[in-house]
Amino acid sequence: VLRVYKAAVQQTLDILFLPEGTEFLTSTDAVSRDSADRTIIAWDFQSAAKISNQIFHERYTCPSLTLHPKEPMFVAQTNGNYAALFSSQRPYRISKKKRYEGHKVEGFSVGCEFSPDGTLLVTGSSDGKVFFYNYHTARIICTLSAHKEACVSAIFHPVLPSLLATCDWAGEIKIWQ
């Protein structure tokens, strides 16, 4: 073990290294009725110090974080049935103009990911569907009825970007082209 970071909150749901590798983000389950601070925490990799715990101000947990492959942005999947877009540079501001809405999370740890070229955001949904969003407009391009159970992950193949893998709550994995 090289370093230990302690958020002093409930469980950590996801970790995302930022492009330079000097900072990383964590999402936690630390949402209360009166406060949503500490939901997403920015950390300094070298010193283990918290840089910010006031990134996301809504009362939803964020089970999944994903980095845009080309732009200094990241998305936080929220249990509020939308994905929020943020700057991956300090002060990590949320985009008030773009929210990726339409899919359902409903307490599942639903993941999301950008296409390798950064033009699409894909996410699973608790109703078993996969949603494809235009990154720039935040509009749904299409949906895919992928599973009978909650689709908890959708991820592009790293070498063959026309292939998409999905998996559901019951353990079924499908590869799509």
Side-chain angles (χ1 to χ4, degrees), residues 45-88:
F45 178 70
Q46 294 297 326
S47 70
K50 290 179 195 172
I51 298 168
S52 176
N53 64 357
Q54 298 287 324
I55 297 172
F56 186 57
H57 297 284
E58 297 188 31
R59 292 186 195 128
Y60 301 114
T61 58
C62 299
S64 175
L65 305 171
T66 190
L67 194 62
H68 192 277
K70 308 239 183 230
E71 296 182 18
M73 305 298 283
F74 75 93
V75 165
Q77 180 75 273
T78 76
N79 280 330
N81 295 326
Y82 67 92
L85 184 67
F86 295 85
S87 169
S88 63

Side-chain angles (χ1 to χ4, degrees), residues 55-122:
I55 297 172
F56 186 57
H57 297 284
E58 297 188 31
R59 292 186 195 128
Y60 301 114
T61 58
C62 299
S64 175
L65 305 171
T66 190
L67 194 62
H68 192 277
K70 308 239 183 230
E71 296 182 18
M73 305 298 283
F74 75 93
V75 165
Q77 180 75 273
T78 76
N79 280 330
N81 295 326
Y82 67 92
L85 184 67
F86 295 85
S87 169
S88 63
Q89 299 172 332
R90 290 187 203 181
Y92 316 108
R93 294 198 195 284
I94 190 170
S95 171
K96 299 205 187 280
K97 295 179 181 177
K98 288 186 196 175
R99 277 172 50 144
Y100 303 88
E101 299 176 302
H103 63 286
K104 298 175 185 171
V105 178
E106 297 178 338
F108 288 95
S109 183
V110 174
C112 57
E113 183 184 76
F114 288 103
S115 61
D117 66 0
T119 60
L120 299 174
L121 176 69
V122 64

Side-chain angles (χ1 to χ4, degrees), residues 131-143:
F131 284 73
F132 295 83
Y133 294 92
N134 177 305
Y135 163 68
H136 295 288
T137 65
R139 289 195 174 121
I140 297 170
I141 295 172
C142 69
T143 60

